[in-house]
Amino acid sequence: MTIPRKGRFAMLSAAVAGVVVAASVAVTGSAEAATTLGASAAQTGRYFGAATSAFKLSDTPYMTILNREFTSLVPENDMKWDATEPQQGRFTYTNGDRLVSHAQSRGMTVRGHALLWHAQQPAWAQSLSGAALRSAAINHVTQVATHFRGKIHSWDVVNEAFADGGSGGRRDSNLQRTGNDWIEAAFRAARAADPGARLCYNDYNTDGINAKSTGIYNMVRDFKARGVPIDCVGLQSHLGTTLDSTYQQNIQRFADLGVDVQITELDVQQGGNQAGIFAAVTRACLAVARCTGITVWGVRDSDSWRTGQNPLLFDANGNKKAAYTAVLDALNAGGPTTPSSPPPSSPPPSPAPGGCTAALTLNSWNGGYTATVRVTAGTSAVSGWSVGVAVPAGGAVTNTWNATNTGASGQVTFRNVGYNGQIAAGGSTEFGFQGTGTGPAATPACTAA
Ligand code: 9MR
């Protein structure tokens, strides 16, 4: 289910009714002022990124700008569910891989967008519901985040799950109907699959303190309190002709919860004070140490999804607009440097000499679960392993990947398959299984062969 563009923008304009921002004033002229968005943002410890697509990689005038100005990219569509798993269990990563390689060759970081979303789902997922959809969704998160493991700076794990309007609650969707815990299940699966990526919740109409952003704020606070892995909040910032007077305050309140904030899809309708709003957003991010980067949702006006609104920093011919200069000047005026926040990582299980350890992560829902088990070799290599798991009474293992199981209920033993028995000293591998009932609670025992 896609939100119609017209409806989306009617909502946006209503939501951002607030203060019209004054025109920005050029502040720098110093010999050291950086001359590109990326270099200038880097001086404050931040990235400056753009949404792009694999089909643009052959557009030379476009790539000249992308490569010159930006230090981060995000696939506008190429990593979405419909793009990466068009048929259930069949994954296509070609376009995402091409963008990642391009980024790596240019020293850019990559934002991953988006593991789960109510829109742009493949038809097969749209037709699922309940436990079947939940396990397909979690499998999608696991597979995609595993494929790109180590290459993604930040993942939009869940996109646009909150409702517009005054409720502050969740949006109805097939995913939401699998149970309110679908978001935390997705974050846990993403952490298990790629412990080095920052995990973000991303949404729009959150560009100030309002019912929707407060709903998200409450969810993040709850996640932090309960240890659900979340590292960042993405404020999309698809803006109309005004900027909410509480834009910076809203960034700050999320930062105060102990998560990073990223401006993830910035574009501003032309026709009002476009340059001033772009500059004000930039200054607001710079003013909050944990606002770690800004991404614009496209490069040239002609690349934008907002046809006719010319909402970006470059015109159709690739010329820098007044909005570009306003952003560059704001960046060069600086702000507090972001604290160096190393990528999150789960502490590795302590090494067992000559043996192995196993750590189990669960994604549970009412009546079922998937478990991911990380097997780590101790100080010597192992050439085979088995892991014993106590499956709680009343439930059973129904499906296993990257291992074979003996028994399905009670004490179940999982053994390596041909390709993952060898683990180097200190190295690790993962297998998973799905089950009915309540997931195993105890730490599994690992035995090296
Ligand atoms: O810009 C994207 C456009 O090319 C797609 O057709 C559209 C499909 O829904 O998604 C656009 O990107 C959206 C992003 O993934 C999530 N936030 C809103 C963005 C604009 O609609």
Side-chain angles (χ1 to χ4, degrees):
M1 185 177 66
T2 308
I3 301 168
R5 280 180 188 192
K6 259 188 132 177
R8 169 78 65 84
F9 270 89
M11 293 184 297
L12 281 172
S13 316
V16 296
V19 171
V20 177
V21 177
S24 78
V25 178
V27 220
T28 56
S30 105
E32 289 165 25
T35 56
T36 65
L37 301 169
S40 184
Q43 287 180 345
T44 76
R46 292 171 177 80
Y47 65 82
F48 205 99
T52 187
S53 296
F55 75 83
K56 305 262 194 200
L57 291 168
S58 54
D59 179 337
T60 307
Y62 172 94
M63 291 306 291
T64 303
I65 305 173
L66 186 79
N67 291 341
R68 183 186 71 219
E69 296 288 341
F70 298 97
T71 51
S72 164
L73 63 77
V74 57
E76 184 170 350
N77 291 297
D78 290 327
M79 287 187 189
K80 290 173 180 174
W81 199 350
D82 59 348
T84 51
E85 196 181 0
Q87 276 128 35
Q88 186 165 17
R90 292 204 171 179
F91 292 86
T92 54
Y93 296 119
T94 316
N95 287 335
D97 285 344
R98 289 176 67 204
L99 290 173
V100 168
S101 321
H102 180 76
Q104 289 179 332
S105 75
R106 306 288 313 181
M108 298 172 168
T109 55
V110 179
R111 292 196 84 260
H113 174 85
L115 291 170
L116 292 180
W117 187 21
H118 65 274
Q120 280 180 281
Q121 292 183 1
W124 65 264
Q126 292 176 42
S127 73
L128 293 181
S129 62
L133 174 61
R134 172 66 71 93
S135 79
I138 297 303
N139 183 55
H140 179 76
V141 171
T142 300
Q143 299 298 329
V144 176
T146 299
H147 175 80
F148 291 108
R149 174 189 212 127
K151 298 174 178 168
I152 302 294
H153 174 282
S154 299
W155 261 117
D156 289 332
V157 177
V158 170
N159 193 43
E160 302 179 2
F162 276 73
D164 290 302
S167 76
R170 299 281 182 88
R171 169 196 299 279
D172 178 51
S173 71
N174 59 347
L175 290 165
Q176 182 61 29
R177 290 191 290 270
T178 70
N180 204 50
D181 62 341
W182 72 277
I183 298 184
E184 60 197 82
F187 275 82
R188 291 202 165 100
R191 178 69 99 230
D194 186 355
R198 293 163 178 83
L199 305 182
C200 305
Y201 175 82
N202 189 50
D203 216 326
Y204 68 94
N205 275 354
T206 52
D207 315 304
I209 294 181
N210 59 36
K212 186 173 177 180
S213 63
T214 299
I216 296 164
Y217 175 87
N218 289 335
M219 177 186 75
V220 174
R221 189 173 53 185
D222 170 57
F223 280 12
K224 294 299 277 184
R226 290 190 296 116
V228 177
I230 183 165
D231 308 301
C232 36
V233 169
L235 304 178
Q236 293 185 9
S237 306
H238 292 294
L239 300 173
T241 52
T242 58
L243 182 67
D244 193 297
S245 61
T246 59
Y247 188 83
Q248 180 179 322
Q249 214 183 320
N250 190 45
I251 298 176
Q252 185 68 59
R253 71 171 173 159
F254 279 105
D256 291 344
L257 289 177
V259 289
D260 288 348
V261 177
Q262 302 174 3
I263 310 305
T264 50
E265 304 183 13
L266 179 61
D267 52 16
V268 181
Q269 187 177 341
Q270 189 163 280
N273 182 12
Q274 186 183 52
I277 291 175
F278 263 111
V281 167
T282 305
R283 284 193 300 266
C285 179
L286 292 177
V288 179
R290 286 199 78 148
C291 182
T292 60
I294 299 175
T295 298
V296 286
W297 204 243
V299 176
R300 303 165 303 198
D301 285 337
S302 48
D303 304 312
S304 173
W305 69 294
R306 293 170 72 171
T307 316
Q309 294 192 0
N310 298 321
L312 294 172
L313 300 177
F314 295 87
D315 70 17
N317 296 317
N319 298 311
K320 296 170 180 173
K321 294 165 58 178
Y324 171 93
T325 311
V327 170
L328 185 66
D329 289 346
L331 290 169
N332 279 332
T337 302
T338 61
S340 63
S341 49
S345 64
S346 313
S350 43
C356 56
T357 53
L360 183 146
T361 316
L362 269 187
N363 298 288
S364 306
W365 57 90
N366 196 9
Y369 61 90
T370 58
T372 305
V373 183
R374 171 159 286 259
V375 179
T376 303
T379 48
S380 327
V382 301
S383 53
W385 46 264
S386 64
V387 172
V389 175
V391 173
V397 173
T398 53
N399 183 24
T400 301
W401 50 96
N402 298 337
T404 55
N405 54 304
T406 308
S409 55
Q411 190 63 33
V412 178
T413 303
F414 295 88
R415 287 198 172 74
N416 65 274
V417 285
Y419 56 82
N420 64 5
Q422 308 266 354
I423 312 177
S428 60
T429 188
E430 260 178 21
F431 72 94
F433 58 96
Q434 189 171 342
T436 54
T438 311
T443 303
C446 190
T447 310

